[in-house]
Amino acid sequence: MPVNLTHENVRDSVLGEAEKGNFKVKKICIYGKGGIGKSTTVSNVAAALAQEGYRTAVVGCDPKADSTRNLTGRRVPTVLDCLKGGAPEIAQKGFADVLCIESGGPEPGTGCAGRGIIAAMQEIRERNLLDGLDVILYDVLGDVVCGGFSMPLREGIADEVYLVTTCDYMALYAANNICKGLLKYANTSQIRLGGILYNERSSRQDAEVVERFAERIGTRVIGRIPMDSRIGEAEIKRKTVIELFPEAEISGEFRKLAHAMLTNPHRCIPTPLEEEELEALWNVSR
């Protein structure tokens, strides 16, 4: 039985092991359909972890380059921007000293975003920008798991994947496709699925269908993101709810989610569903 650790005990354990050289950096990928709330989740989880004393980084792997906006209050120069212009500053410090990096991508219609991510990851490695950290969070577009978007799965960049989804069919469809990519690379890397993050920002709520989906692919829902107007309000002000509304219930939910991800002992190779199975599972709830 895993021990239900408090934030303080987990933090002390992590930092103590790091000092002894025994701590293994937690490298986590957050995948999901475009617009599903990945960047919101990543930025708030990062803020929560950093406030608890973890040396935390966010690496945005989405051409929109908005993963770190809520942490820095601005659009930071991307790795590709810096390479084109010769500027040395790739990593920026954000709220609570979260290290913020955006891979960037080409102008719309002019190139392959996946290749841009590959080039950015190579540059990050060569500069050793992620050395000495406790937690690294990668925010990755998951509508199509190919090219650079699959790099964290196949190249050992991350160890765990979490899928953000609503109860909508296309969100679950994208999550299922990501599981297919994860299954493909699981035998040649240590990448595993850590669980599902249920975002309630949908026109209807059906937690049961998300729970059933998680069970069918071999994992579980480890946290939820409630609908809350303060999320949108904070993002308009380019902040996390952790920073702008530290005492709000929604901030507490993100702290719970951060804690669950940090202490989660359940990792699996998923069993993706066939399209007909996914449709049948979703239609049961209608």
Side-chain angles (χ1 to χ4, degrees):
M1 293 277 299
V3 178
N4 186 17
L5 298 174
T6 65
H7 278 296
E8 290 76 13
N9 287 340
V10 173
R11 181 188 64 229
D12 292 344
S13 175
V14 168
L15 298 180
E17 290 299 302
E19 288 177 359
K20 292 185 290 185
N22 297 329
F23 176 67
K24 183 179 180 182
V25 180
K26 197 87 166 172
K27 298 178 289 185
I28 298 171
C29 263
I30 308 294
Y31 272 95
K33 180 179 178 294
I36 207 68
K38 298 183 305 300
S39 298
T40 299
T41 302
V42 167
S43 60
N44 279 283
V45 166
L49 291 171
Q51 282 194 327
E52 289 293 328
Y54 301 108
R55 294 164 295 185
T56 305
V58 169
V59 180
C61 300
D62 189 317
K64 297 194 306 298
D66 62 350
S67 305
T68 59
R69 180 178 179 271
N70 296 340
L71 291 162
T72 62
R74 65 189 185 281
R75 183 190 183 279
V76 302
T78 69
V79 176
L80 296 185
D81 288 339
C82 294
L83 291 178
K84 290 175 185 176
E89 294 299 326
I90 289 177
Q92 309 277 330
K93 285 290 185 74
F95 173 71
D97 284 336
V98 175
L99 190 69
C100 298
I101 303 173
E102 292 284 354
S103 65
E107 292 295 321
T110 63
C112 173
R115 289 182 181 175
I117 291 172
I118 292 171
M121 291 300 108
Q122 289 174 342
E123 188 69 18
I124 290 168
R125 281 174 165 173
E126 288 175 6
R127 298 195 187 196
N128 301 314
L129 295 177
L130 301 177
D131 289 358
L133 297 169
D134 300 315
V135 184
I136 304 168
L137 297 166
Y138 294 90
D139 179 357
V140 192
L141 182 65
D143 291 86
V144 181
V145 186
C146 65
F149 300 120
S150 68
M151 190 180 185
L153 302 181
R154 59 186 167 83
E155 301 258 348
I157 287 176
D159 301 314
E160 296 180 24
V161 167
Y162 289 91
L163 305 175
V164 181
T165 184
T166 63
C167 62
D168 298 312
Y169 177 75
M170 290 310 298
L172 293 170
Y173 180 86
N176 193 57
N177 271 350
I178 295 159
C179 288
K180 292 179 181 179
L182 202 159
L183 177 62
K184 177 179 177 62
Y185 297 114
N187 290 329
T188 56
S189 73
Q190 296 301 309
I191 193 76
R192 297 293 184 267
L193 180 62
I196 303 288
L197 312 179
Y198 174 38
N199 192 345
E200 296 180 350
R201 53 175 282 188
S202 180
S203 57
R204 70 186 183 95
Q205 295 307 317
D206 191 349
E208 186 178 337
V209 71
V210 180
E211 295 281 357
R212 286 203 306 272
F213 172 72
E215 183 179 359
R216 289 285 297 277
I217 64 173
T219 189
R220 60 180 186 153
V221 176
I222 73 153
R224 69 184 186 97
I225 305 163
M227 287 188 67
D228 193 305
S229 62
R230 280 166 290 200
I231 292 176
E233 184 178 343
E235 292 185 345
I236 287 175
K237 296 178 180 178
R238 300 185 177 188
K239 295 183 182 295
T240 61
V241 293
I242 295 287
E243 178 181 4
L244 193 60
F245 304 108
E247 304 303 322
E249 183 177 350
I250 184 62
S251 296
E253 291 296 332
F254 279 117
R255 291 189 184 99
K256 287 180 189 175
L257 183 55
H259 181 248
M261 292 168 67
L262 201 65
T263 61
N264 179 21
H266 303 287
R267 302 167 74 246
C268 74
I269 298 175
T271 305
L273 304 181
E274 296 297 329
E275 190 169 338
E276 295 77 10
E277 293 178 293
L278 182 62
E279 288 178 356
L281 180 148
W282 190 80
N283 282 324
V284 166
S285 66
R286 300 191 69 187

